[in-house]
């Protein structure tokens, strides 16, 4: 097997993996877990009620 064939196989393999990742990222099955992960950064913030927020203003 020469370098041209192995390079072509590698290119096709990487392209197929890339397409698989894109399909996985935009699939509806992944949306719920991505929405949950999106909100994780706010989980460690202290909760404020409406009265405390009015006092701060």
């Amino acid at each position: 097997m020469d370098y041209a064939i192995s390079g072509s196989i590698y290119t096709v393999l990487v392209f197929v993996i890339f397409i698989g990742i894109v399909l996985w990222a935009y699939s509806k099955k992944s949306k719920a877990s991505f929405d949950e992960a999106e909100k994780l950064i706010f989980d460690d913030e202290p909760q404020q009620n409406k009265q405390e927020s009015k006092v701060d203003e």
Side-chain angles (χ1 to χ4, degrees):
M1 198 185 305
D2 61 345
Y3 291 113
I5 293 174
S6 62
S8 298
I9 291 171
Y10 178 74
T11 301
V12 170
L13 179 67
V14 170
F15 181 71
V16 168
I17 291 171
F18 173 76
I19 295 298
I21 291 172
V22 168
L23 291 175
W24 168 75
Y26 286 102
S27 70
K28 292 185 181 194
K29 290 181 184 178
S30 300
K31 183 165 177 32
S33 62
F34 288 149
D35 287 343
E36 181 182 339
E38 174 183 287
K39 295 176 178 98
L40 283 176
I41 194 165
F42 301 113
D43 282 347
D44 60 347
E45 292 184 358
Q47 297 293 323
Q48 292 183 353
N49 60 23
K50 291 182 181 180
Q51 242 178 5
E52 289 178 0
S53 63
K54 288 182 181 178
V55 171
D56 291 339
E57 293 176 353

